[in-house]
Amino acid sequence: MSTLHLRCGDDLRDILPRAGIAGDYLCFSDPVCVGPARDEGDLIAWLGLRARFVALHAGQDVGQVRLRLGREYTALNGLHRHDAVHLWFEHDLWDQAALIRILSLLAEKRQLRGRLWLMPADGLRSFPELPDAALAALQPAPLTDLQIEQGAEAWDAFSAPDPRALDALTRRKLTLPFLAAAMRRHLRDLPWTVDGLGETERAVLRAVAAGAATEGQVQAALRAADAVFHVTDLIVREVIQRLRSGPKRPLLAKDPLRLSPQGEALLAGAARHRPAPRAQGGVPVLPDPPWLWDPRLAGVVHDG
C-alpha cells in the first residue's frame, strides 16, 4: 500500500521514519495564514502573488520561491497515485489555513475520494512534540465529503474581500474540529473597533510593555499566551516592523524594543491606531479600514 504524508512544513520529514511510520512525504510550505490570499481561481496569478509575498517575508529570491511553490502545488495534482494520503494538520491557524487551501484544490478531484485521511491532533500539542511511540499509535480517520466541502467553503470565505461569510461560517457546527476557532483567530487580526489594533499587534505591544526587549522574547510571550496562533519568528518580525513604521509608530525604531508614547496611549485606551496598508487573507486593511472586528459583538462589522 502506497502512503503519502502531507504536512505544512518539513518538521515531520525525519521524525515519521524514526517513529516507524513509512511512506512518502510532501511539504506544503505556502504560509497562507499571513499575507495576501485573494484567490480568483487563476493558479498562475496566485503563485505570482504568493511568491512575491513569501520572498519579501522570508528574505528569499522570488524566482526560487516561485519554483518551490509551483512544485508543491503541482504535486497536489498527483496525490491520486497513492493509495492513502495522510493529512498532518494541527489545531493552530497556520495548519488550519493550509488545510483549507489544500482542500479547496482537492475538492473536485473525485479520484481522491476514499484516499484522504486526517491524522488526529489533540488540540494542545504539535505533532513533533509527541514521543515516537505516541506518533506511531495515532490512527487516521477518513476525511468525509462534508469535511472536504466545508474546507473548500472556508477557503472561499477566507480569500474573499468581504469577511462576513467567514464570520458566519465560524458560527456553524463544522465537521473539521479546529477550523472555527482558527478562523475566528484570523478574523481577530482585523483592526478592532476600540483601538484600530489587530489582536497580534496588541499582544506584541503588551509583551513589550511587560519587559520583552527582543524579537525572541516577544515570540516566546506570544506563543505562551496563544494556543491558536503559533507565531513564527518571521511573523513576529513583520508585526514589529509594522508597528515601528509611520509617524505615529507604537514602537520606537531602535533596539531594544520599547513602547513609544503612542504605544503607551494605545494600551491605555487613549489613542487609536491607523494601520499601514496590508492584506488580512482576502480582506484589505487600510489606514481607515473598511472592515473591523468588534469585540462587543465578537464579530466583524463594516465601517461606513
Side-chain angles (χ1 to χ4, degrees), residues 31 50-65 68 233-235 237-238 241:
R50 294 300 299 172
R52 290 189 295 273
F53 169 77
V54 172
L56 183 63
H57 179 72
Q60 298 174 353
D61 177 75
V62 65
Q64 292 301 313
V65 173
R68 184 183 77 240
D233 55 343
L234 293 178
I235 292 173
R237 180 169 301 167
E238 181 179 324
Q241 289 173 346

Short mmCIF file of all heavy atoms in Angstrom, two decimals, residues 31 50-65 68 233-235 237-238 241:
data_model
loop_
_atom_site.label_atom_id
_atom_site.label_comp_id
_atom_site.label_asym_id
_atom_site.label_seq_id
_atom_site.Cartn_x
_atom_site.Cartn_y
_atom_site.Cartn_z
N PRO A 31 2.76 29.77 3.47
CA PRO A 31 2.19 30.20 4.75
C PRO A 31 0.94 31.05 4.54
O PRO A 31 0.94 32.26 4.78
CB PRO A 31 3.34 31.01 5.38
CG PRO A 31 4.04 31.62 4.21
CD PRO A 31 3.93 30.61 3.09
N ARG A 50 1.73 34.94 -4.27
CA ARG A 50 2.29 34.35 -3.07
C ARG A 50 3.82 34.34 -3.10
O ARG A 50 4.47 34.53 -2.06
CB ARG A 50 1.75 32.94 -2.88
CG ARG A 50 0.26 32.88 -2.58
CD ARG A 50 -0.09 33.64 -1.33
NE ARG A 50 0.58 33.08 -0.15
CZ ARG A 50 0.58 33.64 1.06
NH1 ARG A 50 -0.06 34.79 1.25
NH2 ARG A 50 1.21 33.06 2.07
N ALA A 51 4.42 34.11 -4.27
CA ALA A 51 5.88 34.11 -4.36
C ALA A 51 6.45 35.47 -4.00
O ALA A 51 7.46 35.57 -3.29
CB ALA A 51 6.33 33.68 -5.75
N ARG A 52 5.81 36.53 -4.46
CA ARG A 52 6.30 37.87 -4.13
C ARG A 52 6.20 38.13 -2.63
O ARG A 52 7.12 38.68 -2.03
CB ARG A 52 5.51 38.92 -4.92
CG ARG A 52 5.80 38.93 -6.41
CD ARG A 52 5.17 40.12 -7.10
NE ARG A 52 3.71 40.10 -7.07
CZ ARG A 52 2.96 39.48 -7.96
NH1 ARG A 52 3.51 38.79 -8.95
NH2 ARG A 52 1.63 39.52 -7.88
N PHE A 53 5.09 37.72 -2.03
CA PHE A 53 4.94 37.95 -0.60
C PHE A 53 5.94 37.11 0.19
O PHE A 53 6.62 37.62 1.09
CB PHE A 53 3.52 37.62 -0.13
CG PHE A 53 3.42 37.57 1.37
CD1 PHE A 53 3.38 38.75 2.10
CD2 PHE A 53 3.41 36.36 2.05
CE1 PHE A 53 3.31 38.73 3.49
CE2 PHE A 53 3.35 36.33 3.44
CZ PHE A 53 3.31 37.52 4.15
N VAL A 54 6.02 35.80 -0.09
CA VAL A 54 6.89 34.91 0.67
C VAL A 54 8.35 35.34 0.53
O VAL A 54 9.11 35.33 1.52
CB VAL A 54 6.70 33.45 0.25
CG1 VAL A 54 7.73 32.54 0.89
CG2 VAL A 54 5.28 32.97 0.60
N ALA A 55 8.75 35.73 -0.67
CA ALA A 55 10.14 36.17 -0.88
C ALA A 55 10.46 37.39 -0.03
O ALA A 55 11.52 37.46 0.61
CB ALA A 55 10.39 36.46 -2.35
N LEU A 56 9.54 38.34 0.01
CA LEU A 56 9.75 39.53 0.83
C LEU A 56 9.69 39.18 2.31
O LEU A 56 10.50 39.66 3.11
CB LEU A 56 8.69 40.58 0.48
CG LEU A 56 8.79 41.93 1.20
CD1 LEU A 56 10.10 42.62 0.83
CD2 LEU A 56 7.61 42.82 0.82
N HIS A 57 8.75 38.34 2.69
CA HIS A 57 8.55 37.94 4.07
C HIS A 57 9.78 37.20 4.62
O HIS A 57 10.18 37.43 5.78
CB HIS A 57 7.31 37.05 4.15
CG HIS A 57 6.97 36.53 5.50
ND1 HIS A 57 6.46 37.33 6.50
CD2 HIS A 57 7.04 35.28 6.04
CE1 HIS A 57 6.23 36.62 7.59
NE2 HIS A 57 6.57 35.36 7.33
N ALA A 58 10.37 36.33 3.81
CA ALA A 58 11.45 35.47 4.27
C ALA A 58 12.83 35.91 3.80
O ALA A 58 13.83 35.27 4.14
CB ALA A 58 11.19 34.03 3.82
N GLY A 59 12.90 36.99 3.02
CA GLY A 59 14.18 37.45 2.51
C GLY A 59 14.81 36.48 1.54
O GLY A 59 16.03 36.24 1.56
N GLN A 60 14.00 35.90 0.65
CA GLN A 60 14.47 34.91 -0.31
C GLN A 60 14.31 35.42 -1.73
O GLN A 60 13.62 36.41 -1.98
CB GLN A 60 13.70 33.59 -0.12
CG GLN A 60 13.88 32.97 1.24
CD GLN A 60 12.99 31.74 1.44
OE1 GLN A 60 12.15 31.42 0.62
NE2 GLN A 60 13.19 31.04 2.56
N ASP A 61 14.93 34.72 -2.67
CA ASP A 61 14.83 35.08 -4.08
C ASP A 61 13.45 34.72 -4.60
O ASP A 61 12.99 33.58 -4.44
CB ASP A 61 15.90 34.34 -4.88
CG ASP A 61 15.78 34.62 -6.37
OD1 ASP A 61 16.16 35.72 -6.81
OD2 ASP A 61 15.28 33.73 -7.08
N VAL A 62 12.78 35.69 -5.22
CA VAL A 62 11.40 35.47 -5.64
C VAL A 62 11.30 34.37 -6.69
O VAL A 62 10.33 33.59 -6.70
CB VAL A 62 10.77 36.78 -6.15
CG1 VAL A 62 11.45 37.28 -7.42
CG2 VAL A 62 9.27 36.62 -6.36
N GLY A 63 12.29 34.26 -7.57
CA GLY A 63 12.26 33.21 -8.58
C GLY A 63 12.36 31.83 -7.96
O GLY A 63 11.64 30.90 -8.37
N GLN A 64 13.23 31.67 -6.97
CA GLN A 64 13.37 30.38 -6.31
C GLN A 64 12.11 30.02 -5.51
O GLN A 64 11.68 28.87 -5.49
CB GLN A 64 14.59 30.40 -5.38
CG GLN A 64 15.92 30.49 -6.11
CD GLN A 64 16.12 29.32 -7.06
OE1 GLN A 64 15.92 28.15 -6.70
NE2 GLN A 64 16.54 29.62 -8.29
N VAL A 65 11.51 31.02 -4.87
CA VAL A 65 10.27 30.77 -4.14
C VAL A 65 9.17 30.35 -5.10
O VAL A 65 8.41 29.42 -4.83
CB VAL A 65 9.85 32.02 -3.35
CG1 VAL A 65 8.46 31.82 -2.72
CG2 VAL A 65 10.87 32.34 -2.27
N ARG A 68 9.64 26.74 -6.07
CA ARG A 68 9.30 25.81 -4.99
C ARG A 68 7.80 25.70 -4.81
O ARG A 68 7.25 24.59 -4.72
CB ARG A 68 9.96 26.28 -3.68
CG ARG A 68 9.72 25.29 -2.52
CD ARG A 68 10.30 25.79 -1.22
NE ARG A 68 9.47 26.83 -0.62
CZ ARG A 68 9.88 28.05 -0.36
NH1 ARG A 68 11.12 28.43 -0.67
NH2 ARG A 68 9.07 28.94 0.21
N ASP A 233 9.08 33.25 14.00
CA ASP A 233 9.98 34.39 14.17
C ASP A 233 9.76 35.42 13.05
O ASP A 233 9.83 36.64 13.30
CB ASP A 233 11.43 33.93 14.20
CG ASP A 233 11.83 33.10 12.98
OD1 ASP A 233 10.94 32.61 12.26
OD2 ASP A 233 13.05 32.96 12.74
N LEU A 234 9.46 34.96 11.84
CA LEU A 234 9.26 35.89 10.72
C LEU A 234 7.96 36.66 10.88
O LEU A 234 7.89 37.84 10.53
CB LEU A 234 9.28 35.14 9.39
CG LEU A 234 10.62 34.53 9.00
CD1 LEU A 234 10.50 33.78 7.67
CD2 LEU A 234 11.71 35.60 8.89
N ILE A 235 6.92 36.01 11.41
CA ILE A 235 5.66 36.72 11.65
C ILE A 235 5.88 37.80 12.71
O ILE A 235 5.43 38.94 12.55
CB ILE A 235 4.56 35.74 12.07
CG1 ILE A 235 4.17 34.83 10.90
CG2 ILE A 235 3.33 36.50 12.57
CD1 ILE A 235 3.20 33.72 11.27
N ARG A 237 8.64 39.30 13.48
CA ARG A 237 9.47 40.37 12.91
C ARG A 237 8.63 41.29 12.03
O ARG A 237 8.76 42.52 12.10
CB ARG A 237 10.61 39.77 12.09
CG ARG A 237 11.53 40.80 11.45
CD ARG A 237 12.77 40.12 10.89
NE ARG A 237 13.49 39.44 11.96
CZ ARG A 237 14.46 38.55 11.76
NH1 ARG A 237 14.80 38.23 10.52
NH2 ARG A 237 15.07 37.99 12.78
N GLU A 238 7.75 40.71 11.23
CA GLU A 238 6.93 41.55 10.35
C GLU A 238 5.98 42.44 11.15
O GLU A 238 5.81 43.62 10.82
CB GLU A 238 6.13 40.66 9.40
CG GLU A 238 5.26 41.44 8.43
CD GLU A 238 4.49 40.54 7.48
OE1 GLU A 238 5.05 39.50 7.07
OE2 GLU A 238 3.34 40.86 7.17
N GLN A 241 8.02 45.25 12.72
CA GLN A 241 8.37 46.26 11.72
C GLN A 241 7.17 47.12 11.36
O GLN A 241 7.30 48.34 11.16
CB GLN A 241 8.93 45.56 10.47
CG GLN A 241 10.30 44.94 10.67
CD GLN A 241 10.76 44.12 9.48
OE1 GLN A 241 9.98 43.78 8.59
NE2 GLN A 241 12.04 43.78 9.45
#
